[in-house]
Each structure stands twice: as structure tokens, then as C-alpha cells.
Amino acid sequence: MRKTLLLADDSPTIHRVVQLTFADEPFDVICASGGREAIERLATLVPDVVLADVSMPGCDGYDLCAYVRTTPGLAHVPVALLTGAFEPIDERRAEAAGCDSVVAKPFEPQALVELVRLLASEGGSKVTRAPVRVKAQEATVADGSTPSASPDERRASDAQLFDRLDAAFSAAGLPTAESIAPLVSPPAPPPA
């Protein structure tokens, strides 16, 4: 039986990545460009899982999670908050909102699939409400600790991530950064 995943994130790239991640999974991914749009969708949709970015303008992931928790008919829906790899999570707001897990971007696709499957299978069971963390693949080391990456290391890691994203977009027939670079390149400096 197919399940529904509601993704609230203001990044079209994250929309594409999550859609590609779940392309072969029994989940329909419904994307919202922000928390307010997600709330509008929740008026007619009861998803199996909600993924919400913590840093959306206006209604952020914490606000969306609190809305889900306090709305009859939705309170049982598991909510995972999405955060940047080097962006701190506000533990107090996450706990107060009642989130089920925290996922750091960029995430390991298979780890995200497994987490969403787990949350969906629990169907809102209060037994495992303690947040589960899925760490960013570039931000963890073998022992599970987080390295203190230098700015150069973070840029190299980001470049590797974008190379992988470009390959995935190309395989899916979507435009890649290289193919649109001429369209978004900064103008040439004026002659001196």
C-alpha cells in the first residue's frame, strides 16, 4: 500500500533530491514550498509522514510541527525536522513542537528512506517519540562523531555533493548546474 510523505522546504533542489530518493519507494512525495503552503495542503491531506525544514521564512519547521501536533486528525502524524549539516537545531523548540526526528542535510538517501519507513510504520505511536537523528553523510566519521571541518573541507564536501546531485539530475533528465551555468553566470565586468 502506498503512503504519503509531505515535504515542506523552500529549496527546489531538496524537493528534487527527496523525490529522487523516494522514486522507487512506495511513497508519494507531496512538496510544499514553505510552512504556510504545507498547512494549506494539510487541510485536505493527512500524510503518513511530514518532513519540514527548520529555516523556512514565515512558518518554519518548528511552527509546522507544532501545528501538526495541535490539530485534531493530524496529531498522530510523525514529523521529522530538516536542518543544515552545520546549522544548530534549537533543541527546546524541537522538543516543545513534539518532533519525532531530526535529519541533517545533506542526508544519506538510504538512511532517510529507512527513517521515513520507520516513522510511517509506527503510524503515530507515542512509544518512540524521542527524536531520532539522521546525520549528514559528509558531517560524520566512522565512530559517529562530527568532525570540525575547515571552510575549505566544507567547500570540497559541498562540491562533491553537488557533483552527485548533478549526476542524479542528469540521469532523471533534469537540468544540471553545468547546463544552466551560461544562463546564470554573472555579467562580464565593464571594460576598464
Side-chain angles (χ1 to χ4, degrees):
M1 172 172 36
R2 295 193 68 77
K3 296 187 182 254
T4 304
L5 169 63
L6 176 62
L7 169 65
D9 198 300
D10 57 346
S11 168
T13 301
I14 294 299
H15 289 189
R16 289 180 185 156
V17 168
V18 172
Q19 288 170 328
L20 288 170
T21 298
F22 286 89
D24 295 328
E25 298 297 324
F27 283 89
D28 294 320
V29 178
I30 308 296
C31 297
S33 296
R36 299 227 186 278
E37 183 182 335
I39 288 172
E40 290 171 12
R41 290 182 182 264
L42 289 168
T44 59
L45 169 73
V46 178
D48 295 286
V49 178
V50 173
L51 293 178
D53 184 43
V54 297
S55 61
M56 296 180 289
C59 179
D60 62 20
Y62 302 107
D63 297 331
L64 179 57
C65 183
Y67 173 83
V68 169
R69 288 289 163 261
T70 59
T71 301
L74 295 175
H76 69 281
V77 175
V79 179
L81 296 176
L82 297 168
T83 185
F86 300 101
E87 176 183 24
I89 188 81
D90 185 332
E91 297 286 345
R92 284 196 346 241
R93 283 188 76 194
E95 184 177 333
C99 82
D100 295 279
S101 63
V102 176
V103 179
K105 299 180 283 188
F107 45 79
E108 176 62 44
Q110 191 56 43
L112 180 64
V113 168
E114 289 172 14
L115 174 67
V116 169
R117 281 183 190 158
L118 174 68
L119 292 173
S121 70
E122 291 177 354
S125 167
K126 302 289 185 192
V127 175
T128 60
R129 276 285 185 237
V132 176
R133 296 186 183 278
V134 174
K135 295 183 179 179
Q137 62 188 38
E138 281 84 7
T140 58
V141 291
D143 67 1
S145 65
T146 303
S148 55
S150 71
D152 287 338
E153 291 168 327
R154 284 194 298 263
R155 277 191 289 279
S157 177
D158 288 347
Q160 292 170 354
L161 169 67
F162 290 122
D163 288 344
R164 289 194 311 274
L165 287 175
D166 275 347
F169 290 167
S170 178
L174 300 170
T176 64
E178 187 176 289
S179 69
I180 63 169
L183 303 174
V184 295
S185 295

